[in-house]
């Protein structure tokens, strides 16, 4: 028998399919199930969700078994689970799985609070199971190409835009926890440094929570970074720019086009090239990385500590309450002249 995780008690023969379950059959969980059902070396045991309509959505997509709760899923025998239930349940579900020595991939953000996130991390350490956090953007091939282009470069600044319309179903979090946490993770990953200064500007134009956020950061390594995110843009846009001493790299995370400017000359001229970008589905690459960490016991691509660190920065950004947007703060209607 070969150990499957860091000191895990759950073991299997190397050639045996890993028995994996999904907790939560919502938008993300159904996608987890779809991807897991197609991965070699994986047996998708089933999906757990209390809502029959959501369980049906998962079976329509993957024809897998479904269960009304985590206990029923665990009773079938699972070595690993992915948790895609609402964020406020991550803590309770992750601790229950870890207590049964089950490896866990938990969707981002790791938990609702830093304390809960830390409890999940220490429980996984004590149990010797793999814990990974689903910061899926790291597995976007355009992001991977940017990371490769800036490797070994002296990074000066990073700008990230992640905007779009309101999501169809509003959860109880604003844009910082829902969207900016992706980019906080990217800034920490690109710079391989901690964020030490945070200057947030938040506004709530339509939603109760912040729906516009302009966030500025400084990392311990001295990099300046900003995130522009909102739910008030009629179309989705996701872009990253990184200025280094030797290059300027621009990436569109949706069209997956990544371009670098380099060879700056004193006369202001420079060269430009498009970089090769892969075609992998980010979620597939993320789940493969998780299962690889489970099989080898190696540190997972996005550790629990990293998930907690990004959540901590996002929560620091929220310490200043959101102000009403400009139009709400204005007294009376704007005068139209002419
Ligand atoms: N990585 C990403 O890009 C990304 C994108 C969207 C959402 N997420 C994260 O994924 C998680 C789920 O988000 P979603 O958009 O799929 O939400 P969702 O509301 O569509 O799905 C959540 C599902 O969990 C189910 N659920 C509720 N209680 C449960 C329980 N006790 N056990 C099992 N299932 C339970 C609900 O019935 C629902 O089907 C959140 O943490 C969210 O932040 C990540």
């Amino acid at each position: 028998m070969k150990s499957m995780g860091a000191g895990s008690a759950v073991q299997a023969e190397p050639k045996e399919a890993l028995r994996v379950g999904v907790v939560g059959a919502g938008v993300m969980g159904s996608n987890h199930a779809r991807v897991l059902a197609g991965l070699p070396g994986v047996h998708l045991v089933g999906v757990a969700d209390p809502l029959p309509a959501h369980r049906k959505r998962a079976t329509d997509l993957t024809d897998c078994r479904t269960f009304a709760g985590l206990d029923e899923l665990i009773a079938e025998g699972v070595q690993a689970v992915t948790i895609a239930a609402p964020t406020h349940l991550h803590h309770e579900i992750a601790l229950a799985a870890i207590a049964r020595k089950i490896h866990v991939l938990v969707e981002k953000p790791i938990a609702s609070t830093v304390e809960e996130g830390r409890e999940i991390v220490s429980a996984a350490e004590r149990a010797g199971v793999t814990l990974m956090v689903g910061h899926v953007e790291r597995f976007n091939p355009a992001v991977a190409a940017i990371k490769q282009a800036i490797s070994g470069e002296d990074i000066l600044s990073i700008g990230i835009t992640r905007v779009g319309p309101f999501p169809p179903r509003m959860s109880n979090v604003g844009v910082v926890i829902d969207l900016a946490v992706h980019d906080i993770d990217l800034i920490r990953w690109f710079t391989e440094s901690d964020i030490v200064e945070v200057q947030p500007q938040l506004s709530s134009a339509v939603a109760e929570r912040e729906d516009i956020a302009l966030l500025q950061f400084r990392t311990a390594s001295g990099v300046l970074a900003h995130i522009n995110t909102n739910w008030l843009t009629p179309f989705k846009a996701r872009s990253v720019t990184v200025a280094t001493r030797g290059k300027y790299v621009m990436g569109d995370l949706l069209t997956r086009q990544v371009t670098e400017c380099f060879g700056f000359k004193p006369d202001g001229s420079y060269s430009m090239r498009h970089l090769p970008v892969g075609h992998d589905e980010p979620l597939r690459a993320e789940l493969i990385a998780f299962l690889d960490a489970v099989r080898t016991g190696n540190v997972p691509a996005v550790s629990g500590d990293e998930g907690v660190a990004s959540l901590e920065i996002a929560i620091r950004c929220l310490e200043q309450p959101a102000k009403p947007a400009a139009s709400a703060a204005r007294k009376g209607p704007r005068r139209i002249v002419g």
Side-chain angles (χ1 to χ4, degrees):
M1 295 288 269
K2 176 182 178 289
S3 170
M4 308 215 18
S8 161
V10 183
Q11 303 193 332
E13 296 301 329
K15 291 272 180 303
E16 230 171 66
L18 262 183
R19 295 179 62 81
V20 185
V22 175
V23 187
V27 176
M28 276 317 281
S30 305
N31 278 307
H32 283 209
R34 172 185 55 80
V35 171
L36 287 167
L39 286 185
V42 172
H43 173 70
L44 175 62
V45 175
V47 181
D49 196 297
L51 292 184
H54 288 201
R55 293 204 292 274
K56 182 168 183 314
R57 176 163 61 186
T59 42
D60 287 349
L61 206 61
T62 64
D63 200 22
C64 65
R65 294 181 68 198
T66 58
F67 305 93
L70 178 69
D71 289 342
E72 290 89 332
L73 173 67
I74 289 179
E76 292 298 312
V78 285
Q79 295 162 300
V81 289
T82 68
I83 301 176
T87 303
H88 70 273
L89 298 175
H90 288 183
H91 176 250
E92 176 191 327
I93 296 172
L95 291 187
I98 291 167
R100 317 280 266 276
K101 300 264 190 246
I102 294 168
H103 305 282
V104 166
L105 175 130
V106 59
E107 262 304 339
K108 64 97 256 241
I110 183 167
S112 297
T113 67
V114 171
E115 293 67 34
E116 285 186 359
R118 289 203 182 114
E119 277 172 34
I120 298 174
V121 171
S122 12
E125 275 169 11
R126 278 197 307 274
V129 298
T130 298
L131 170 66
M132 179 162 149
V133 185
H135 281 286
V136 72
E137 203 69 289
R138 286 202 202 181
F139 298 89
N140 181 322
V143 169
I146 295 167
K147 171 78 173 162
Q148 203 185 344
I150 61 175
S151 138
E153 293 285 323
D154 184 6
I155 304 173
L156 302 174
S157 73
I158 300 173
I160 307 186
T161 297
R162 183 179 299 268
V163 296
F166 272 95
R169 297 159 298 106
M170 281 305 296
S171 64
N172 57 352
V173 294
V175 281
V176 171
I177 297 290
D178 197 49
L179 299 184
V181 77
H182 283 291
D183 304 312
I184 292 169
D185 176 67
L186 291 188
I187 291 165
R188 297 186 68 260
W189 188 52
F190 285 151
T191 59
E192 293 171 13
S193 182
D194 283 328
I195 291 171
V196 289
E197 278 180 49
V198 168
Q199 290 176 325
Q201 288 293 341
L202 310 175
S203 178
S204 51
V206 177
E208 218 172 280
R209 301 285 175 114
E210 79 287 352
D211 47 22
I212 309 177
L214 298 174
L215 311 173
Q216 297 196 120
F217 305 103
R218 183 187 290 271
T219 67
S221 57
V223 175
L224 302 186
H226 76 257
I227 297 171
N228 165 21
T229 188
N230 68 54
W231 277 323
L232 297 156
T233 307
F235 53 86
K236 248 187 173 185
R238 273 117 179 80
S239 67
V240 173
T241 58
V242 184
T244 77
R245 269 191 210 282
K247 292 178 175 181
Y248 187 73
V249 183
M250 303 169 278
D252 184 316
L253 308 190
L254 298 180
T255 63
R256 298 195 181 163
Q257 192 170 78
V258 180
T259 309
E260 68 176 15
C261 308
F262 62 102
F264 305 123
K265 302 260 168 53
D267 67 359
S269 65
Y270 57 89
S271 306
M272 233 171 141
R273 68 179 159 222
H274 293 307
L275 299 178
V277 177
H279 296 286
D280 285 355
E281 179 183 355
L283 184 60
R284 186 170 187 275
E286 176 190 277
L287 291 172
I288 289 173
F290 168 57
L291 298 170
D292 206 49
V294 168
R295 288 191 180 100
T296 59
N298 292 341
V299 177
V302 187
S303 70
D305 280 328
E306 290 176 284
V308 171
S310 294
L311 175 65
E312 192 164 16
I313 296 300
I315 288 176
R316 260 173 70 187
C317 290
L318 292 176
E319 277 162 9
Q320 286 181 19
K323 298 192 175 119
S327 57
R330 236 184 354 243
K331 308 247 175 0
R334 197 198 325 237
R335 266 173 203 277
I336 297 167
V337 183

